[in-house]
Amino acid sequence: MMNINRRQAMGQIIGLVSVAAGGGIMANAMAADTCAGDNAIGIGSDGSSDLAANLLTYVKVDPLAVAKRAYEDYGKGGCMYGVFDAIVKELAAQGHEDACKFAAIPTNITVYGGGGVSGWGSLCGCVNAAAMAVNMLAGVDRTKVIRSVYHYYESTSMPRGDSEFLTAIGAPTRTTNAGEPLTAELIGQSVAKSILCHTSVTLWSKQSKFGTSHAAKLERCAQVTAEVAYITADYLNKALDGTLDVATVADSNSDCGACHSSTKREPDTYFATDVNSQMECQSCHSEHDVSAGLTSAHADYTCSDCH
């Protein structure tokens, strides 16, 4: 069997991803050639029991600069690529001790995450990318930043749509069928109530009255990509300063957690379903009818209630 070194293998992987996503983003991956040696990136445990070994140093970046990159990147490789590439490339542009290592990261590997992982409608690529980027950074509370970004996505009316932000990122760039710019008033806003792509997009479509194959959906998702990239950078900056103090889980979850939190129960002590999740419970589940005691009394939802 022919042996190939790691750099050659990575080159082949990047090439395959680029073909699948379009050649427009190939040049970004070639930034890896600016750092010499097979260990140029230097991320990973290298077999160590410490999975947090060899992280890269985080330095502050301008959230608006990250957002602008992300908005432009969305049109090249989708939402996950947009957020990840913007954060990594902005860190590479800072010229600090790990800048060359950031520049060597093949950001094309994130293209798969668009549309909730290859159109599967599962985890939104924006938050998928945010977690992937944050998880390789030293000097910040990674878990807190990730959970903060996820809760923001789940509970915030997006895209933000204010004129200052739209001007900074260069939006909108897409139009209606009649050629009119897709302004904030037309795009509208919606709360995802979930970190899932299909829920987020479906609830937006229901609110805006635009079909999900329309350019308005692309404009909306490009702006959401920019917003998530912005908030990730903002939270990272605050985490570096030790001032990040935002919600990471819905307040209403505390009631549900009284019975449904993760436990070490065994069958003889089991009395209620355990749930291992930070997601907001009542996005999909109604409150119990107190009179029903421990008997499930959730509302009889149909798919069309949320989707």
Side-chain angles (χ1 to χ4, degrees), residues 1 3 71 78 85 105 122 148 153 170 274-275 277 282:
M1 180 180 293
N3 293 322
Y71 179 77
D85 184 77
I105 295 173
S122 60
S148 299
Y153 182 96
D274 275 15
V275 176
S277 175
Q282 293 177 32

Side-chain angles (χ1 to χ4, degrees), residues 122-136:
S122 60
L123 181 62
C124 172
C126 295
V127 293
N128 197 347
M132 185 176 181
V134 172
N135 198 53
M136 64 186 183

